[in-house]
Amino acid sequence: MSLVDFWVVLGGCLTVCLAAPIVTQEAGNPAQVTSVEVKTLRCGVPDVSNYEHFSGTRKWEKNLITYRITRYTSDLTQSQVDTTIAQAFQLYSDVTPLDFRQVHDDTADIIILFQARFHGDFYPFDGPDGVLAHAYKPGPSDGGDAHFDDDETWSLTETGVNLLLVAAHEIGHSLGLDHSDDSQALMFGHYNYVNTIGYRLPDQDRRRIQALYGVNNNIMACCFTFFAGRMPRQQIISITKTHRTCAQQGFVVTTARGKICVSLNQTWAQEAFANQQIGHHK
Ligand SMILES: [Ca+2]
Ligand SMILES: [Zn+2]
Ligand SMILES: [Zn+2]
C-alpha cells in the first residue's frame, strides 16, 4: 500500500458500517419499556466527502472486476456463500456496464473474507453485533476489499444477519458508494432486514451507481430491439413495462401523439425507433 493509500484509508476510505440495532433494557424504568437504540458506528472521519478533493471520485476504471473469497463462514455452506455473493454483485451488473467474475488466484481486484476480531487490517471486528462488516473504496491493494465479521450469525433469511443484504451494501462501498442518510436506501449505514425474494437495488442506490458507471448498455440495446422489430405496439409496451431489467434501468414506456415514447429518469423523450438514436439520449 502506498503512503497516500495508507493515509486515505486512515482518513476515512474504509467505511465501517451496518451497526446492528442494540437492544437495551432501560434500567429503573417502572414500565419496563424495552427501547431499541441504534448505535452509530461509522468510519472515524464523519464526512468522507471532505477527502474527495485529495483522492478524487474513487471508482474502478474498467468494467470487468474480479473477486476472490479467501475465507468462508461456517454458518453457511461454501456454495451458499458463493451464490449469495454472486447474487449481490449481480444487483450491480444488472444496472451498470460492470461485470464481475469470481477467481481463485492473487489477481483478484476485490478480496472478500469472513473473520472475527483481528483480521489483518487496522479495524479489528468487535464480537457479536455492533459492526457487521466493512469495505474499502475502489483502488489498488486493499481497495475494494470487503470484510465480514464472523462473530455474526450469517443467514439467508431474516434470522441472524442476512448475507445478501450486507454483501450488497458492502459491495456498494467496494464500487465507490458512500453511505446514504435515507433509511430506505441499501447504502443506509444500519442494517434493516427486508425480504430478499426478488430483491433489486432500491431506486436511489441504482441512480447513484449509474451516476458513477453509467447504465447497462446491453440492457438498453435489449430494450430497443423490442421497438426495432415489428411487434404490435401494445405487445411492445407490455413487454417493456414488465421486463424486469428494463424497469430497473428506470425506463418507462408510453404512447403519446401517435408515437411510442421511452423515458429515462422521468424525462420524456420521443424518438424514432428505426434510426437507433434512442440509445444515446440522456
Ligand atoms: Ca460485530
Ligand atoms: Zn456501509
Ligand atoms: Zn477489515
Side-chain angles (χ1 to χ4, degrees):
M1 193 190 292
S2 73
L3 186 60
V4 170
D5 281 327
F6 178 70
W7 181 83
V8 168
V9 166
L10 288 180
C13 227
L14 176 104
T15 310
V16 177
C17 45
L18 289 171
I22 310 250
V23 179
T24 54
Q25 193 82 32
E26 282 186 359
N29 184 333
Q32 292 294 304
V33 175
T34 300
S35 69
V36 176
E37 123 190 347
V38 178
K39 196 170 173 182
T40 301
L41 294 176
R42 291 189 176 221
C43 51
V45 176
D47 188 358
V48 174
S49 62
N50 281 348
Y51 291 82
E52 286 191 350
H53 65 284
F54 290 107
S55 59
T57 301
R58 291 282 201 110
K59 57 173 279 199
W60 297 98
E61 299 297 342
K62 56 185 177 181
N63 283 348
L64 177 62
I65 296 164
T66 57
Y67 66 94
R68 180 184 185 189
I69 305 173
T70 56
R71 289 178 69 112
Y72 287 79
T73 175
S74 57
D75 300 341
L76 300 165
T77 68
Q78 200 160 312
S79 99
Q80 283 175 318
V81 172
D82 283 345
T83 305
T84 305
I85 297 293
Q87 219 183 324
F89 276 112
Q90 199 190 334
L91 294 168
Y92 295 93
S93 57
D94 273 350
V95 299
T96 65
L98 297 175
D99 270 320
F100 303 98
R101 186 171 302 157
Q102 184 174 8
V103 296
H104 302 277
D105 59 54
D106 293 339
T107 63
D109 299 308
I110 294 174
I111 302 292
I112 293 170
L113 60 79
F114 293 80
Q115 201 168 348
R117 302 291 179 178
F118 179 77
H119 56 276
D121 60 20
F122 293 101
Y123 304 90
F125 285 125
D126 55 357
D129 298 329
V131 174
L132 306 178
H134 55 219
Y136 295 80
K137 282 189 170 188
S141 185
D142 287 348
D145 291 359
H147 301 158
F148 298 82
D149 186 349
D150 209 12
D151 274 335
E152 314 306 336
T153 304
W154 297 100
S155 84
L156 305 180
T157 64
E158 74 264 52
T159 62
V161 180
N162 185 282
L163 179 58
L164 176 66
L165 296 174
V166 177
H169 175 105
E170 295 309 325
I171 288 167
H173 290 311
S174 299
L175 299 178
L177 296 183
D178 293 323
H179 280 149
S180 163
D181 293 333
D182 180 349
S183 63
Q184 302 304 305
L186 175 64
M187 294 314 294
F188 188 58
H190 300 275
Y191 177 76
N192 279 330
Y193 175 78
V194 295
N195 191 322
T196 58
I197 295 170
Y199 185 79
R200 61 191 185 89
L201 280 190
D203 283 347
Q204 177 193 125
D205 304 284
R206 173 180 56 76
R207 282 193 296 271
R208 291 179 70 206
I209 200 71
Q210 288 177 335
L212 272 184
Y213 294 100
V215 300
N216 185 329
N217 291 313
N218 292 331
I219 300 301
M220 288 177 80
C222 140
C223 287
F224 301 130
T225 57
F226 294 131
F227 303 105
R230 291 280 181 270
M231 259 182 236
R233 181 173 298 177
Q234 287 310 315
Q235 196 181 341
I236 291 168
I237 292 168
S238 85
I239 287 174
T240 311
K241 277 187 172 168
T242 56
H243 194 275
R244 178 175 166 263
T245 39
C246 289
Q248 273 179 268
Q249 298 291 328
F251 285 97
V252 188
V253 179
T254 191
T255 57
R257 279 171 256 145
K259 287 185 175 178
I260 299 174
C261 303
V262 175
S263 90
L264 186 56
N265 297 333
Q266 306 304 316
T267 305
W268 294 109
Q270 293 190 18
E271 302 277 354
F273 301 119
N275 69 14
Q276 304 293 315
Q277 290 302 305
I278 194 162
H280 304 294
H281 88 262
K282 297 293 180 197

